[in-house]
Amino acid sequence: GVRPVAADGRVLNLDFETGTLSFLPWVSNAPAWMTTTLQKHAGTYAAVNADIGDGGTSTMEVTLLIPAAGVVHFWHRESSEGSFDYLRYYVDGVQQGSWSGQNNWAEATYPIAAGQHTLRFSYTKDGSVSTAEDSVYVDDLLITPP
């Protein structure tokens, strides 16, 4: 299921405030991402990776039909082993950004072209050591006109 974006280029309800990932056709591998109230940028909920072991990956992705070129905005927070365990953001399988370590909430923005695109967030761990919460968070995802 591809979810079309509103004609003005804005996608609503990407803030995880339904408390589930089912409001969009998010696909999450097992172990799956989930929503949490423990950390959030705004509102009540954010998305968080699943608990994974060393060398593991936890991913969530959504395919959207973007009617016109725009900008993807999202907020992210990391509590992981710096330089080893990463939150990564991909569009159509191409990595756009990665973050690691102990970071407060920060906004990321990336341009996106019109058409069908798959946005993916993944948490990847190296072969050893768990630090802090061993978690990464995503919240308040929005696509706006340029």
Side-chain angles (χ1 to χ4, degrees), residues 31 50-58 85 123-130 134:
D51 290 332
I52 53 172
D54 293 334
T57 299
S58 178
D85 300 346
Y123 181 49
T124 55
K125 288 180 53 61
D126 72 340
S128 64
V129 184
S130 292
D134 206 23

Side-chain angles (χ1 to χ4, degrees), residues 33-84:
W33 282 58
M34 64 203 84
T35 55
T36 180
T37 58
L38 298 178
Q39 294 287 344
K40 63 267 186 186
H41 170 251
T44 303
Y45 295 96
V48 63
N49 62 280
D51 290 332
I52 53 172
D54 293 334
T57 299
S58 178
T59 297
M60 70 170 180
E61 65 181 37
V62 64
T63 300
L64 299 172
L65 186 58
I66 314 252
V71 179
V72 176
H73 307 255
F74 59 88
W75 289 80
H76 60 95
R77 178 185 180 274
E78 297 78 39
S79 183
S80 70
E81 183 189 7
S83 301
F84 293 99

